[in-house]
Amino acid sequence: MSQLAPYASHPDRSRGRLHPEPHREMRGPRDIFQRDRDRIIHSIAFRRLRHKTQVFISPDGDHYRVRLTHSLEVAQIGRTIARALGLNEDLTEALCLAHDIGHPPFGHAGEDALEEAMRPFGGFDHNAQTLRTLTQLESPYPLWSGLNLSWELLEGLAKHNGPVAKPGWALAEVNAGFDLNLTCWPSLEAQIAAISDDIAYDNHDIDDGIRAGLLDIDQLLELPFVAERWEAILSRYPDVRRRRLIGELTREQIGVMVNDVIESTRERIHALRIADVDDVRNAGVMIGGFSAEMAPRERQLKAFMYENLYRHPTQNEAALGASKIVRELFAAYHNDVSLLPTEWRENLPEHDPARSRHIGDFLAGMTDRYATDRHREICAPKI
């Protein structure tokens, strides 16, 4: 790793883990953030992301992105920005890899359905579910629940979009056990992980949308930011067919956005006289992010994607089916807990809201195909 900047998260200054871990040197010369990253990669929850929706629900093709490939792409962007700014690359990568672990099956359609089903029991939020999964549900160690991740990683996941004034029940439970200082801003590594997520899905979803036939380049050229990049690409490759240049457009836009984040973040670090990580947390503003010029362009691109891709009629139709699966599965398990697998049934709390939240945990961990199979098995009419 290159030399860390003074305002980076240094592993030797970490606030540590909730549970002490003696004899950690027996498992290789890794610092605390490298171990965090490796624990996430080796977790069951991370492996399940390969069968969870990114944009398209149960896509027919093998080339569409899923939560796993999206998380890897976010991590690649995050490491690039972190390296340029002298931040801790390992912590940044770990945050990027873990940020979507709490997503239920079927993307936002599944989350909306699960939130509705759990509303009488406190509701559901995928960010908080990420923390809940990593601190309680994923438990490969003999002496404690969860992965026992560093304070800095959990803090970054809890508030990568900024301070949290009113945490929901799931985040409040995690915070009660390990105070994450929710009212302050997170590390720069967490801020860079958050903006890397935006850069990745803003641009990679364009590629998937065009591949699926739901978007075309002429629609995108209505956006001045995209049109400017596209004209530059056409001038460089006038004899190459347009479809082959989509990947070049994606790369070019990512590059422009990444460079913008690096330069604007440096400017804010200098303007705010950020000297250490405590200055970052107490700055009162988000430091890592787009410039004043790029931010509205990115918002315009995101709005375009919601209107033309995420809410496309074919997407809405698939979302209705996915919502039905999640709602009916929750109702089925809630009405007959004997349908739960043995290990989940044995740990089922006796009373609500803990009882229904336990069922919500089971549903949130499902992959798209597992949820579809269980719904067919449990809820389909018997002939």
Side-chain angles (χ1 to χ4, degrees):
M1 180 185 295
S2 57
Q3 183 69 32
L4 291 176
Y7 43 77
S9 297
H10 200 290
D12 292 343
R13 303 185 196 122
S14 169
R15 301 191 193 186
R17 307 186 188 279
L18 181 61
H19 306 285
E21 296 186 11
H23 313 302
R24 63 181 180 179
E25 68 280 355
M26 296 171 58
R27 295 180 180 171
R30 297 168 293 163
D31 66 42
I32 190 168
F33 302 142
Q34 291 169 339
R35 291 174 189 273
D36 282 348
R37 177 202 58 211
D38 296 349
R39 291 177 186 192
I40 290 162
I41 289 174
H42 289 281
S43 70
I44 293 173
F46 183 71
R47 294 198 293 274
R48 285 198 300 259
L49 295 179
R50 72 183 183 271
H51 292 301
K52 289 196 175 189
T53 292
Q54 174 61 19
V55 175
F56 298 103
I57 295 171
S58 301
D60 294 330
D62 294 333
H63 298 164
Y64 295 106
R65 289 165 174 85
V66 293
R67 289 284 171 194
L68 179 62
T69 54
H70 166 70
S71 297
L72 294 172
E73 289 169 341
V74 175
Q76 178 266 326
I77 293 171
R79 285 199 74 120
T80 297
I81 299 174
R83 182 179 297 127
L85 293 172
L87 303 178
N88 192 294
E89 293 180 44
D90 297 312
L91 176 58
T92 305
E93 183 181 21
L95 288 160
C96 292
L97 293 173
H99 80 282
D100 270 353
I101 275 178
H103 268 285
F106 310 123
H108 292 292
E111 178 169 8
D112 291 344
L114 190 53
E115 199 285 328
E116 180 182 350
M118 291 186 62
R119 195 167 295 153
F121 315 105
F124 177 86
D125 172 70
H126 78 264
N127 283 326
Q129 190 68 20
T130 293
L131 274 293
R132 184 169 168 83
T133 300
L134 296 175
T135 60
Q136 297 183 42
L137 306 179
E138 182 84 19
S139 297
Y141 297 100
L143 298 180
W144 55 74
S145 297
L147 296 182
N148 200 30
L149 299 169
S150 71
W151 184 91
E152 288 76 11
L153 181 64
L154 298 177
E155 177 226 19
L157 292 172
K159 52 185 181 176
H160 57 274
N161 289 321
V164 181
K166 297 180 180 179
W169 67 269
L171 180 54
E173 280 188 357
V174 173
N175 191 61
F178 200 10
D179 185 1
L180 300 176
N181 200 7
L182 295 179
T183 58
C184 288
W185 288 86
S187 66
L188 267 173
E189 286 83 0
Q191 296 181 34
I192 293 308
I195 202 69
S196 298
D197 183 29
D198 287 341
I199 293 172
Y201 77 71
D202 280 345
N203 293 288
H204 290 141
D205 290 356
I206 290 175
D207 182 51
D208 280 356
I210 291 175
R211 186 184 302 278
L214 303 187
L215 294 177
D216 63 56
I217 189 63
D218 291 328
Q219 286 177 287
L220 286 160
L221 295 182
E222 297 172 8
L223 302 174
F225 172 64
V226 178
E228 182 182 340
R229 306 270 74 74
W230 184 246
E231 290 302 319
I233 292 167
L234 289 179
S235 68
R236 292 201 302 271
Y237 306 103
D239 300 323
V240 178
R241 61 188 177 89
R242 284 164 43 117
R243 179 63 186 88
R244 190 170 179 180
L245 294 176
I246 299 302
E248 189 69 10
L249 175 65
T250 301
R251 289 186 291 273
E252 181 124 341
Q253 290 196 162
I254 290 174
V256 170
M257 286 184 170
V258 165
N259 288 334
D260 180 87
V261 168
I262 291 169
E263 291 306 313
S264 59
T265 301
R266 280 178 177 155
E267 290 175 4
R268 283 188 283 268
I269 289 170
H270 177 74
L272 294 168
R273 298 181 181 180
I274 302 298
D276 55 32
V277 71
D278 288 333
D279 285 348
V280 173
R281 292 195 172 95
N282 296 318
V285 295
M286 183 77 85
I287 299 170
F290 294 121
S291 65
E293 295 75 26
M294 181 61 73
R297 296 176 180 176
E298 189 272 339
R299 289 194 297 270
Q300 186 182 42
L301 176 58
K302 190 181 270 87
F304 171 89
M305 295 296 284
Y306 269 94
E307 181 179 353
N308 294 280
L309 179 61
Y310 307 137
R311 294 172 183 153
H312 190 279
T314 60
Q315 291 286 84
N316 291 337
E317 183 179 352
L320 288 174
S323 297
K324 181 174 184 289
I325 289 175
V326 172
R327 287 197 311 272
E328 292 185 356
L329 277 177
F330 185 90
Y333 289 123
H334 196 267
N335 293 333
D336 184 1
V337 296
S338 69
L339 296 172
L340 290 167
T342 302
E343 64 271 24
W344 283 88
R345 193 167 62 248
E346 288 176 346
N347 294 310
L348 184 71
E350 289 187 23
H351 305 290
D352 274 329
R355 187 180 183 88
S356 293
R357 290 171 180 175
H358 185 78
I359 294 170
D361 289 337
F362 178 55
L363 271 170
M366 289 182 176
T367 62
D368 293 15
R369 65 181 187 179
Y370 183 81
T372 300
D373 290 345
R374 295 291 75 73
H375 182 264
R376 186 183 301 114
E377 173 189 312
I378 294 170
C379 302
K382 303 299 187 289
I383 300 176

